[in-house]
Amino acid sequence: MLTRFLDRLWRRAATGFAFAFLFGGGAILAPTVFPLVALTSPAGAVRRQRCQHLVHLIFRFYIRMLRVLRVIDLKVEGAERLRDGRGKLVVANHPSLLDVVLLMALMPRAQCIVKKELWESRWLGGMVRGAGYIRNDLDPEALLDACRAALEAGDGLIIFPEGTRTVPGEPVRFRRGFANLATLLEAEVQPVTITCDPPTLIKGEKWWMIPPRRPIFRVMVGDRLDVTGLLGYQYRSLAARKLVRSLEDYFAERLADGKA
């Protein structure tokens, strides 16, 4: 009993330290290191790639720190598919606040769509803009062009089709936006299934509400899907619906079987 109490007390303190480290470190690095990278790199693709790789290194260190502090455990299957995931739509479910950190830690060149507030943030905006992340308030045509440019540049574009963190126990339901994007760009889709047992950092949960034991994150990178096989439909909307249904079934099966 005492051992469990001390373990939980340690994990709560370590979790608080980890959050302070993440946000405090970001507030320091964004106005210092990232502008330095920008000043020492040629404008354009090279600067963007260096900033993305720097984010990858920072998040890889952060995940390693969480494991050393015994805040989480992590098991990954198929990590090489993400390291070699250039120019792919990386489609993942979203059980935890840590999901994007995990994926970026596994991907040397990761691109994502971010909120306007983060793009314009006083503290993190420099990092977000330097890495070339795509703001979500662009008009549809500009957003499509930005995503196309990212894929053509060889970036892996991370998308969470649920739009928000998964509610534990509820079935996976994907919005159709990612499928429209995939069919319009004729992009390969790289599915990634993420589980966390016991659940932690879920939607609506405060950071200090830690689970009774150390959570195990499992990341399973599946086989890539070529959406060009769906483009024989007369209407692209039908192809998009078919892709949504296929991926919902794919994730439901793996989450039900615990294969991640």
Side-chain angles (χ1 to χ4, degrees):
M1 183 69 72
L2 179 60
T3 302
R4 289 198 297 269
F5 172 77
L6 291 176
D7 174 71
R8 196 162 187 176
L9 186 64
W10 164 260
R11 287 187 292 109
R12 180 174 286 121
T15 300
F17 168 78
F19 269 92
F21 181 89
L22 180 63
F23 291 105
I28 293 171
L29 293 175
T32 55
V33 176
F34 282 89
L36 181 61
V37 172
L39 286 173
T40 57
S41 305
V46 173
R47 180 182 299 173
R48 184 173 62 251
Q49 291 167 16
R50 288 179 180 176
C51 286
Q52 288 176 3
H53 190 67
L54 181 56
V55 172
H56 161 71
L57 294 176
I58 292 169
F59 283 164
R60 190 169 69 175
F61 171 82
Y62 185 72
I63 294 299
R64 187 174 300 162
M65 182 185 75
L66 293 180
R67 299 175 73 179
V68 169
L69 292 174
R70 296 185 293 111
V71 173
I72 67 168
D73 278 336
L74 174 64
K75 298 181 179 180
V76 182
E77 180 181 335
E80 70 283 352
R81 295 172 182 168
L82 283 181
R83 288 193 295 268
D84 189 34
R86 292 186 174 188
K88 308 295 185 295
L89 284 182
V90 178
V91 176
N93 63 310
H94 197 7
S96 169
L97 188 63
L98 279 179
D99 300 332
V100 70
V101 177
L102 286 169
L103 291 177
M104 288 189 168
L106 293 168
M107 298 172 61
R109 287 180 55 185
Q111 176 64 272
C112 62
I113 300 172
V114 300
K115 294 180 180 179
K116 171 189 175 184
E117 292 78 12
L118 190 57
W119 176 278
E120 297 177 346
S121 168
R122 176 182 178 185
W123 305 112
L124 300 178
M127 178 181 69
V128 170
R129 292 189 296 271
Y133 297 148
I134 303 166
R135 51 191 295 167
N136 68 348
D137 63 336
L138 297 174
D139 66 71
E141 193 64 33
L143 183 64
L144 180 65
D145 289 343
C147 292
R148 178 184 290 109
L151 295 177
E152 289 177 349
D155 298 340
L157 179 57
I158 298 171
I159 293 181
F160 297 107
E162 293 166 283
T164 186
R165 276 174 280 172
T166 312
V167 177
E170 292 191 2
V172 172
R173 289 289 180 265
F174 289 165
R175 299 179 181 180
R176 201 189 303 172
F178 87 96
N180 291 329
L181 189 64
T183 54
L184 285 167
L185 299 179
E186 299 184 17
E188 282 190 316
V189 172
Q190 177 67 77
V192 180
T193 312
I194 304 172
T195 63
C196 180
D197 180 36
T200 187
L201 299 175
I202 61 176
K203 186 176 181 180
E205 184 178 80
K206 304 299 183 182
W207 69 263
W208 61 82
M209 299 169 65
I210 64 172
R213 56 183 172 84
R214 190 183 343 170
I216 301 174
F217 283 84
R218 291 182 172 89
V219 179
M220 190 188 79
V221 186
D223 295 327
R224 293 172 188 164
L225 307 176
D226 188 353
V227 302
T228 56
L230 299 173
L231 299 181
Y233 287 90
Q234 182 178 2
Y235 300 105
R236 192 175 295 273
S237 60
L238 295 177
R241 280 199 291 269
K242 173 67 174 177
L243 180 58
V244 170
R245 287 196 299 269
S246 296
L247 281 175
E248 283 182 343
D249 291 343
Y250 173 94
F251 280 92
E253 178 182 353
R254 277 150 184 78
L255 292 172
D257 293 344
K259 292 181 180 178

